[in-house]
Amino acid sequence: MLERRINLDGRAATADVPRITIGGLRMAALDLEATANFMIEATDPRHRIGRPLHLTSANGEVLARCSTEPETERLFRSADLINADGQPLVAASRLQSWFPLPERVATTDLFHVVARKAEAVGRTFYMFGASEDENALAVENVRKMYPNLKIVGYSHGYLRGDALRAKVDEINALAPDYLWVALGVPNEQAFVEEFTPHLTNVGVIKTSGGLFNFLSGSRARAPRWMQKIGLEWAWRTLLEPRRLFWRYLTTNPRAIYLLFSRNRPFNNR
């Protein structure tokens, strides 16, 4: 927990957010609407802390990887706030805690709630990540859904070296309220750690996993009933068996163990 202990500005900015420890990680005990409201409030000039707040998300796979990959665990623990993007995490908290997670906060759902609120109050977006085609199509679809939303820029995530550093400088100059970073775990968390000092004009960085694939329409969400009972991983495996079968076969059992062994009922510090 060293990273959180020395991250005093981030702790102060999120001090009012209740948390519980699930599977070894401290999760924000907020529902979707409250999370979006927190993100809107965090970009109010009166609440800026001189650097972007870092919000990330965890599911069963992330819990398993954090328990076996020290660097991934360190990157997640250094985030200012972690949302529970997995229905099994919510279910486990309800079985074991008198203060459970209120609901799953999936980034794919959160994006739309924040977009509607940002559209209403004039907040700005930058969308960074995925391939060039996926990124462009995602932005095109978002602009159709939210015509008054201010998207100040966008870029694919396949940049390295000087090109990446130049892009980060460009993003900072555009000063978006929200930078959505979709590079996959743990690359997006490593991006935040490396470039936060160069993104002082950004309000919130939200790591986003496969968000742009859903926004572009190239990947379909699981049926709602599968989401509600925690089987979205099975839907994703059905769609991408060669890429995901072994991943979930190895991480799911460990995640189940962690969900019932590394929990604390209430922890707001």
Side-chain angles (χ1 to χ4, degrees), residues 111-268:
F111 179 89
H112 294 285
V113 182
V114 176
R116 289 193 293 270
K117 293 178 181 292
E119 189 178 36
V121 297
R123 301 289 201 268
T124 58
F125 278 21
Y126 192 106
M127 298 172 61
F128 179 76
S131 68
E132 187 169 4
D133 290 343
E134 287 279 313
N135 183 281
L137 187 54
V139 171
E140 179 182 343
N141 288 341
V142 171
R143 283 177 167 160
K144 290 177 181 176
M145 287 185 281
Y146 309 103
N148 295 319
L149 179 64
K150 299 176 183 179
I151 301 177
V152 296
Y154 58 95
S155 172
H156 67 86
Y158 290 86
L159 298 171
R160 301 291 184 272
D162 290 341
L164 177 56
R165 287 186 285 272
K167 182 60 64 176
V168 168
D169 290 340
E170 175 188 306
I171 294 171
N172 193 54
L174 291 168
D177 292 304
Y178 304 98
L179 171 58
W180 301 85
V181 178
L183 302 174
V185 173
N187 295 329
E188 56 198 20
Q189 287 76 23
F191 171 92
V192 176
E193 179 178 70
E194 180 176 358
F195 292 110
T196 284
H198 305 281
L199 292 167
T200 54
N201 293 327
V202 175
V204 169
I205 301 178
K206 177 67 179 77
T207 60
S208 307
L211 170 65
F212 296 173
N213 301 120
F214 294 112
L215 292 175
S216 71
S218 68
R219 188 180 300 166
R221 295 288 303 276
R224 182 63 64 178
W225 68 268
M226 294 186 78
Q227 295 181 42
K228 287 183 176 180
I229 63 174
L231 288 178
E232 191 161 14
W233 63 270
W235 172 262
R236 293 185 61 193
T237 303
L238 182 65
L239 296 181
E240 301 179 82
R242 294 183 63 180
R243 186 173 75 90
L244 297 178
F245 176 78
W246 181 252
R247 178 194 298 183
Y248 288 129
L249 183 65
T250 56
T251 59
N252 279 6
R254 187 164 190 84
I256 292 171
Y257 165 76
L258 294 168
L259 286 174
F260 289 93
S261 64
R262 293 192 184 178
N263 300 332
R264 292 176 63 184
F266 183 79
N267 180 12
N268 195 35

Side-chain angles (χ1 to χ4, degrees), residues 43-117:
T43 56
D44 187 307
R46 296 170 296 179
H47 300 143
R48 296 288 185 103
I49 62 173
R51 67 157 176 87
L53 279 180
H54 172 202
L55 276 63
T56 193
S57 303
N59 55 19
E61 180 193 347
V62 167
L63 295 181
R65 292 184 63 173
C66 284
S67 72
T68 58
E69 302 171 8
E71 179 63 9
T72 299
E73 181 184 34
R74 187 188 66 79
L75 289 169
F76 270 85
R77 290 192 183 281
S78 67
D80 296 307
L81 210 63
I82 304 176
N83 294 123
D85 187 354
Q87 191 60 31
L89 279 65
V90 177
S93 75
R94 289 174 178 171
L95 288 173
Q96 301 179 68
S97 174
W98 56 267
F99 187 79
L101 296 167
E103 68 175 337
R104 175 193 181 196
V105 180
T107 304
T108 312
D109 298 322
L110 180 64
F111 179 89
H112 294 285
V113 182
V114 176
R116 289 193 293 270
K117 293 178 181 292

